[in-house]
């Protein structure tokens, strides 16, 4: 009888183990699908950017004002500015900052993004940096945040995933800003670049408008 009971218990354990394994495999398939979807989106973004020739088109906002989506817009109309700034003084992109913070372990302790110090952020641009990082914290998912707050050792083992997540968040920032600004198609166009200065300026306008609406209510 004892042998029979032991065998029966072992079978139940095996069944539970198989069920857990099936759930893990299903989760892994879903995660892989999300990874491939993100990779495909980034590929389309890069192809769109190349097709746009690096970006000589200025996109207008729904209210008729030109957007400061990237710092290259002024250079389109000012060749002298384009020559003097070319190859130097470019503001860092959102994804570059996220990658730097994650690799350095600055996010492990749960600190706010805008409190992190970076050599990629000049003092004169600190206000834009703060607004850009507040936008990132508003838009990243819980899973993305948990990953980015991993230890540097864990991050080093998943550098490709880090790159995908950072670029996905950058794209999401541009998409939401376009949506909030009332653009018919919120998908980022080829010339839009997620540099923290322009993202920060645009986020500031959105935050100010929200505050005004809240006060009016």
């Amino acid at each position: 009888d004892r042998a029979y009971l032991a065998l029966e218990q072992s079978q139940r354990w095996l069944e539970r183990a198989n069920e857990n394994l099936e759930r893990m495999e299903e989760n892994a398939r879903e995660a892989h699908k999300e990874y491939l979807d993100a990779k495909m989106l980034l590929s389309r973004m890069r192809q769109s950017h190349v097709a746009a020739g690096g970006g000589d088109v200025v996109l207008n906002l729904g209210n008729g004002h030109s957007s400061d989506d990237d710092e290259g817009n002024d250079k389109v109309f000012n060749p002298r500015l384009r020559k003097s700034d070319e190859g130097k003084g470019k503001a860092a992109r959102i994804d570059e900052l996220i990658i730097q913070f994650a690799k350095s372990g600055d996010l492990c302790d749960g600190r706010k993004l805008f409190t992190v110090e970076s050599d990629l952020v000049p003092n004169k641009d600190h206000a834009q940096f703060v607004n850009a990082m507040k936008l990132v914290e508003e838009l990243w998912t819980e899973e993305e945040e948990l990953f980015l707050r991993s230890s540097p050792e864990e991050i080093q083992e998943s550098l490709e995933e880090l790159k995908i997540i950072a670029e996905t968040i950058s794209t999401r920032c541009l998409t939401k800003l376009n949506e909030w600004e009332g653009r018919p198609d919120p998908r980022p166009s080829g010339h839009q670049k997620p540099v923290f200065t322009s993202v920060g300026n645009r986020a500031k306008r959105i935050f100010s408008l929200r505050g005004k609406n809240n006060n009016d209510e």
Side-chain angles (χ1 to χ4, degrees):
D1 289 344
R2 284 186 181 177
Y4 176 78
L5 290 174
L7 178 60
E8 203 174 44
Q9 187 175 27
S10 297
Q11 288 177 334
R12 285 197 296 269
W13 286 342
L14 182 59
E15 288 173 0
R16 284 198 295 270
N18 285 333
E19 291 174 359
N20 290 334
L21 181 59
E22 289 175 1
R23 282 196 295 269
M24 291 172 64
E25 289 176 346
E26 180 63 26
N27 291 336
R29 283 194 293 270
E30 291 179 2
H32 185 63
K33 183 180 181 300
E34 290 180 0
Y35 170 81
L36 292 178
D37 289 345
K39 203 167 186 178
M40 188 176 298
L41 173 62
L42 290 171
S43 176
R44 287 200 301 267
M45 285 282 296
R46 292 184 181 120
Q47 290 172 1
S48 175
H49 179 70
V50 171
D56 279 350
V57 180
V58 177
L59 187 64
N60 288 330
L61 299 181
N63 58 12
H65 298 293
S66 63
S67 165
D68 56 352
D69 297 324
D70 64 57
E71 25 179 43
N73 286 346
D74 290 337
K75 298 174 188 177
V76 175
F77 303 105
N78 192 334
R80 184 168 52 186
L81 181 62
R82 179 188 293 183
K83 282 185 178 180
S84 64
D85 285 355
E86 192 169 340
K88 66 177 183 177
K90 292 184 178 179
R93 300 190 309 272
I94 297 294
D95 53 293
E96 291 175 327
L97 291 170
I98 292 174
I99 289 173
Q100 183 190 66
F101 298 166
K103 280 185 171 182
S104 64
D106 285 323
L107 307 180
C108 288
D109 57 0
R111 67 163 61 182
K112 293 288 187 181
L113 287 175
F114 64 83
T115 66
V116 179
E117 295 183 359
S118 171
D119 56 355
L120 299 177
V121 181
N123 289 334
K124 66 182 180 64
D125 297 328
H126 187 257
Q128 291 99 316
F129 168 73
V130 169
N131 286 317
M133 293 301 101
K134 286 182 177 179
L135 180 66
V136 169
E137 289 191 341
E138 180 175 322
L139 296 179
W140 65 8
T141 66
E142 184 177 349
E143 292 77 12
E144 289 166 344
E145 179 182 0
L146 287 173
F147 173 81
L148 295 172
R149 294 194 184 282
S150 302
S151 68
E153 293 76 20
E154 292 172 313
I155 292 294
Q156 283 298 323
E157 295 175 357
S158 308
L159 292 180
E160 182 63 24
E161 185 177 0
L162 171 63
K163 184 172 181 291
I164 293 292
I165 287 177
E167 292 183 343
T168 300
I169 293 173
S170 291
T171 301
R172 191 180 301 137
C173 286
L174 292 179
T175 301
K176 292 304 291 185
L177 286 170
N178 289 344
E179 179 185 320
W180 291 332
E181 289 168 350
R183 303 191 186 205
D185 184 356
R187 289 175 299 180
S189 60
H191 85 285
Q192 289 184 309
K193 300 175 185 177
V195 294
F196 81 87
T197 47
S198 64
V199 169
N201 284 331
R202 296 172 68 192
K204 179 183 178 181
R205 291 197 290 268
I206 297 298
F207 296 155
S208 298
L209 185 60
R210 284 182 190 170
K212 181 179 182 300
N213 290 339
N214 289 337
N215 290 335
D216 290 343
E217 292 174 2

